[in-house]
Amino acid sequence: MAKTGFDIRKITGNRLFMPLVCLAAVLIVGGIFVPDFFAVSINNNVLYGYPVDIVNRASEVVILAIGMTLVTAASGGQDISVGAVMAVAAAVCCQILSGGETSVNEFANPLALAIIAALIAATLCGAFNGFLVAKLNIQPMVATLILFTAGRGIAQLVTKGQITYIRVESYKVMGGFIGKCPVPTPVFFAIAAVALAFLVLKKTALGLYIESVGINGAASRLIGLNSTMIKFLTYVICGLLAGVAGIVASSRIYSADANNIGLNLEMDAILAVALGGNALGGGKFSLMGSVIGAYTIQALTTTLYAFRVSSDRLPVYKAIVVIVIVIIQSPAFHRFMAEQKAKRAAKNQVAEGGN
Amino acid sequence: MKKKVLAAFMVACMSLGMMACGGSGDTTADAPAADAGTADAGAAGTESAPAADAGAEDSAAGGTITIGFSQVGAESDWRTANSESMKSTFSKENGYELIFDDAQQKQENQIAAIRNFIQQEVDYIVLAPVTETGWDAVLQEAKDAGIPVIIVDRMVEVSDDSLFTAWVGSNFQLEGEKAAAWLDAYLTAAGRGEEEINIVDIQGTIGASAQIGRTNGLQAAVDAHDNWTLLAAETGEFTQAKGQEVMESLLKQYGDQIDVVYCENDNEAFGAIDAIEQAGYTVGLDGDMIVMSFDSTNAGLTDVLNTKISCNTECNPLHGPRVADIIQKLEAGGEVEKEQYVDEEIFAVDGTVATVNVDGVDYEVTVVTQDVIDARAY
């Protein structure tokens, strides 16, 4: 008896426990109320079903959430420009591919060149944010507000205010399917990004450095860590990942829609970090928590779609669920529950004593 | 000593606070100043009114008419075509001088542009508003200055109707009705007139006038047909990405049942078609689902040519000639109708339906060919 109790505590004590419970709760609600929610079939040679939609559509947020987690951990603030940076990357990529036309049926320039240029543009955006935050010590929210507002303008400038269409099958691959592979390509992008980030953080000391800079930048500097450089680096990584997400999002619709690509995704990414049980004030972080958070958000969106909640009312329901999830995860709520438990235990003891 | 320092500090704080208050006082004082400014502008306006009249006389005598046009931005092909229409209509050769201002989707830019036009004493102001509300003050200024304002595309909500002279735009309700009439005529011609028809509506951004009109047009037709069912109406926010996501979800709920997908603009249709084809269904008159769309952009009509979209109802951006018409009437001292609609066509993939009838008026259906697409201005 005592042994199992110990085990449960070990499981519930894990920092990934709450995020996983939340994800499971959303999925269970979907499973109960939506017929065939978990059914996955092969239609038209590709995987088909709600779970596939969730995993597929969450890809961009997962990729963004990785960068957002690192930025949050190192600087104790968020990069709110990622959505706009996505638009910039998409605009650069499509504009190079189209060679200045609004709609093309074949590449004007090599795909590799366009992707590299788009990633460089996104990385430069990240570097700009990093410079403002790490070097000039501007508050992250304020520093990234600049690109948040200007980013879409830059993207508009690049595309000359038009939606640039790239109607080439090989461009649709990144947001669609590779050859006869039944799994949507964005899923691979997300897995690759997570795996790469995980390896780098675990195999090098970078993860530890980021945490220590986030917990106490001054102390980290005193023990010989270049906190400025580490903070800067997290923003550069965040920008680069936003670029990847931007290219995936653009490939899905084979166009660069500067007004809409990545719109409000920065909020989803921040939410993913929060849902993952990470402190938004920086310090220790859990990459896997954020990834689970990202999937939770998409699971919620897809479930609400399945409930036929119209997409303009979606944010309201999302907000309600998010409030509940965040409250459940908050330390204050945990303390409250612990107190209640202690009280009950005490009562029981008294009752037993009375007997 | 410490106390003295503290006192000095407090005094400094208080005086700073007072200065701050003074500062804010200044800004509040600015507001009446601004009002005074508008009053000035009003006064200047009354002064310039005769000048404008003089200008009108000039133009009547063969001089140029100056027009200030505040455009929303250049967010789509449609918008670009709209701007081009204005620019080509109000050219120097036609006896106009056009001052074009791109507001980049910001109302404050548009308000600033209108104030500039008033100062430049233009003869007419043409406004393509980014939003419906918030125009009272600046339009009042224009009215005080005696400059007629013509609204194009979206409507403005103002407390006083006399603040603008005329409105030119699309009849979205009629667009929806025409599309529904085409569907009815086509189904009857194809021998499916009595069949159960299930429709899904991928709506535009909720609240946009295009969404309201087009949804209502469809809804009225669904109510009028016992065998038509509207399975679902969800918004795709006029974007391709949302259209695709919503369609994916609808396919999972209804799949085979869906006969008609009614998309409220071309971008949504592109996304919906991608989702339908990815799920293994076919689109088109002979396919599993008939896709209908609006706007008739170049890309949209190309999809009609490729038989993916079956019916595409135009949303005509060529407002220039109609606005010029109004201005010429005003120049001649005539009266103009307050609300004027531009003529809009309806395009289809084949000639099964030659004309559609809405409220007793026949509208010709154009069959899309490469020549039709090439001949279009946008």
Side-chain angles (χ1 to χ4, degrees), chain A residues 166-188:
Chain A
I166 310 294
R167 298 176 191 280
V168 183
E169 283 308 315
S170 57
Y171 187 63
K172 297 181 189 171
V173 164
M174 289 172 292
F177 299 88
I178 308 172
K180 295 210 177 304
C181 176
V183 181
T185 322
V187 178
F188 294 118

Side-chain angles (χ1 to χ4, degrees), chain A residues 307-326:
Chain A
F307 283 168
R308 289 194 37 203
V309 172
S310 80
S311 41
D312 59 323
R313 263 169 255 159
L314 217 61
V316 179
Y317 294 92
K318 244 182 179 174
I320 294 170
V321 177
V322 166
I323 289 168
V324 172
I325 293 177
V326 171

Side-chain angles (χ1 to χ4, degrees), chain A residues 1 51-52 103 124 143 161 173 208 236 245 248 270 274 288 294 299 311 355:
Chain A
M1 186 67 198
V52 183
S103 174
L124 282 178
V173 164
L208 189 67
V236 172
V248 171
I270 295 170
M288 283 305 144
S311 41
N355 281 339

Side-chain angles (χ1 to χ4, degrees), chain A residues 53 57 161-162 254 308 311, chain B residues 74 77 80 235 248 252-253:
Chain A
D53 276 4
R57 293 267 163 206
Q162 300 286 328
Y254 43 90
R308 289 194 37 203
S311 41
Chain B
D77 298 353
T80 314
T235 172
E248 275 177 8
K252 289 193 180 73
Q253 291 167 61

